[in-house]
Amino acid sequence: MDLLALVGGTFATGGALQRRIASYRPRAGQTQMAQAIAEALVSGERLVVQAGTGTGKTFAYLVPLLMSGERVLVSTATKTLQEQLFSRDIPGLLDVLALPTKTAILKGRSSYLCLHRLRLAREASSPLEPRILALLAKIELWSQTTRAGDLSEIQALSEDSEVLPLVSSTRDNCVGSRCQAWQACYVNLARKRALESDLVVINHHLFFADSKVRDSGVAELLPTVQAVVFDEAHHLNDVGVQFIGTRLSSHQLLTFSRELAQEGNKSAPSAESWSLCALDIRREVEKLIASAGRGAGGLRRTWSGNAPEGVSLEQWTAGLQGLCDSLKSAFDALSKHAERSVELRALAERAKRLLALTALFSNCAEEDTTRWLECGGGISLNQAPLTIRQFLLQRMDQAADIGGRRQSWIFTSATLGVDQQLSMFTKTCGLEGARTLRVESPFDFSKQAALFVPPYFPKPNEAQHGASVARFVAQSAEVLGGRTLVLTTTLHSMRTVARGLEAYFLSDSSMKILVQGQAPKHELLHQFSQLGSGGSAYILVASVSFWEGVDVVGDALQLLVIDKLPFAPPDDPLVQARGLQIENSGKNAFKELHLPNAIMGLMQGAGRLIRSEQDQGVLAICDTRLLSMGYGKKILAALPAMRVLTSQEEFDTELLRLTKSSTKDQC
Ligand code: SF4
């Protein structure tokens, strides 16, 4: 039987999925998507699929991939999604389909224990804090039993633990084949396992990580697979430009200077003034940071001339020159003694790379790239292309034919574009010639959801807007008994709304206000989903990171409030540069870039409300531009076809109806 028929049969009534999974029921959109993917696999096509919420897109691509028996690569947006695919979805499906497919997960090198650096940490000459020593002891113990060396196996280690850089490697500090632990190295073992497997799960960061230097293992994998599938593909461009681009950070430089002093004094004591050399670099970095000025976390300064905007050209140029000089001295000293240890040789290579990067940022930006400076606690100098188009085209063409057959490239997400050609996505990725498919959500939005734009509301840029959102949310959540998620476009708005809600419910201890940042995302969502446990009602207030990856099924979420339309900040250097490029080609940047991006963002956020065929709820968007501006109609038309509530009275009635129809009240 051919692949198309096999896949069709698996998704059909009475097929393997229905026989083995109690909750499964055939969905036309899911079958359509799975068959399109099977066709793409057979013909070596490039396929872009937008699959509406509830389509079941993960199974729709996994089933044909697994049944094809081909070697394939699947990439998703985050490590969490990667884990879900590898540990939950794929093993479950392999069991249902009774297939022996060999699978592997491959992460970036910082996810794995570096045995060499663990030894260095153990032998550190300067005393470590007791807290760090306790964590190192845990890692030592775990290292004796782990098979994969994946540091996320250690529950006690948070993702931002300060001990991680001590026990994991970077391309800069890995000593490569000169390493004593080369054979047992977990990074090498993970790459070897990936090369021996039929299906490998990676993440988008890793896919782009070896764009300049082959350091992720993906470059070796790519020519060996018959198909590459990107899930959550709407993230590709933003992730890609970060990696294709070039970055030099104060953190990188300060880490280098610290390790230079440590290693120099250990491997070649008194041969050079290592501490002085390191101090010189540190001083130059501090001068550069001072000339850039401290910014609120993540402030991005446009950099179109010789210095970033708002930074003195004289100080900036002198700062970069001073840094070049200090790195050159370090490089000369390291080169003289490189034969004394593998670490000194690796440091010499690192000094050379840092010197080259500093020289690059001392000159004008390369063509078709944009530059910006990020300021927070430290600084980072960035240069990136505006899109991943050229990079992706090259990658797709390089690996086009595997054993005489064309390689398939498949891209999927719930939000890729508003037109049939999904042109917003395909243009940035060089996929204009690809086949596109839009699969509509199986949910009946006209019955399950309603949309309300409060007509008498302060404009989004007016000072009282945040306080008005808080009042609107408070009064609505009182009726519903919590069950409300508020998504804001900025952290500032999030704090304003949260403060307003806390003040409103000061004397009502039964209404709990959960705010992003109070606890890890999964914990907040877990608490929010425990509808009414212990007699509490919940309002969850969050910003950008909750516009995606929030899957609260059932009555715990019945009202979703979005504070403003998610237009990108106009002063973001990348947004500015992309807009300028569009204007220079004679087109309108608002129509071509800013509006479609805002629509995609809004669709992502709005997609949090209805997560199953039983869910019911209201989406309220507190932005009157939807009613007053010409583009408002276009945005509303892109949202799922919900019932529209036109007055506060209709909205109040809908909330009351929801309280009556909720399963909680029926119990
Ligand atoms: S080869 Fe590199 S990553 Fe592997 S143990 Fe050695 S230094 Fe660490």
Side-chain angles (χ1 to χ4, degrees), residues 109 114-117 169 173-176 179 181-182 185-188:
R109 62 161 63 246
C114 168
L115 293 165
H116 171 71
R117 289 188 59 76
S169 64
N173 60 30
C174 169
V175 293
C179 178
W182 180 250
C185 169
Y186 291 115
V187 178
N188 291 340

Side-chain angles (χ1 to χ4, degrees), residues 169-215:
S169 64
T170 62
R171 180 180 166 257
D172 276 344
N173 60 30
C174 169
V175 293
S177 55
R178 297 181 300 253
C179 178
Q180 285 176 355
W182 180 250
Q183 295 298 331
C185 169
Y186 291 115
V187 178
N188 291 340
L189 292 178
R191 291 176 185 176
K192 190 163 171 279
R193 251 193 319 274
L195 279 167
E196 292 165 356
S197 296
D198 306 313
L199 186 150
V200 184
V201 184
I202 61 166
N203 59 60
H204 300 345
H205 295 80
L206 197 66
F207 177 77
F208 290 104
D210 66 351
S211 57
K212 290 232 163 99
V213 279
R214 296 191 159 211
D215 189 49

Side-chain angles (χ1 to χ4, degrees), residues 87-195:
S87 312
R88 191 191 66 189
D89 301 332
I90 295 173
L93 256 185
L94 286 177
D95 183 38
V96 166
L97 302 173
L99 289 169
T101 313
K102 194 169 173 195
T103 62
I105 185 167
L106 183 61
K107 300 181 182 175
R109 62 161 63 246
S110 64
S111 298
Y112 299 99
L113 174 70
C114 168
L115 293 165
H116 171 71
R117 289 188 59 76
L118 179 64
R119 181 176 61 78
L120 290 184
R122 201 186 294 136
E123 295 167 359
S125 46
S126 45
L128 294 166
E129 286 178 38
R131 195 167 39 85
I132 304 272
L133 283 172
L135 280 172
L136 277 176
K138 277 203 176 92
I139 295 171
E140 285 272 7
L141 198 65
W142 161 82
S143 73
Q144 285 155 25
T145 53
T146 179
R147 286 187 60 224
D150 185 336
L151 290 156
S152 67
E153 291 168 13
I154 309 172
Q155 300 286 329
L157 273 188
S158 64
E159 270 199 15
D160 54 358
S161 167
E162 51 202 313
V163 83
L164 285 178
L166 296 178
V167 295
S168 61
S169 64
T170 62
R171 180 180 166 257
D172 276 344
N173 60 30
C174 169
V175 293
S177 55
R178 297 181 300 253
C179 178
Q180 285 176 355
W182 180 250
Q183 295 298 331
C185 169
Y186 291 115
V187 178
N188 291 340
L189 292 178
R191 291 176 185 176
K192 190 163 171 279
R193 251 193 319 274
L195 279 167

Side-chain angles (χ1 to χ4, degrees), residues 387-431:
T387 69
I388 56 171
R389 187 184 170 83
Q390 284 310 323
F391 173 84
L392 208 53
L393 278 171
Q394 265 174 15
R395 280 288 184 279
M396 290 191 288
D397 290 342
Q398 268 167 13
D401 291 297
I402 305 297
R405 285 176 56 202
R406 270 166 55 85
Q407 202 176 37
S408 310
W409 288 71
I410 296 160
F411 303 80
T412 185
S413 160
T415 47
L416 293 173
V418 283
D419 56 352
Q420 202 55 43
Q421 294 73 38
L422 305 172
S423 46
M424 211 192 110
F425 174 77
T426 52
K427 273 185 197 166
T428 52
C429 296
L431 288 162

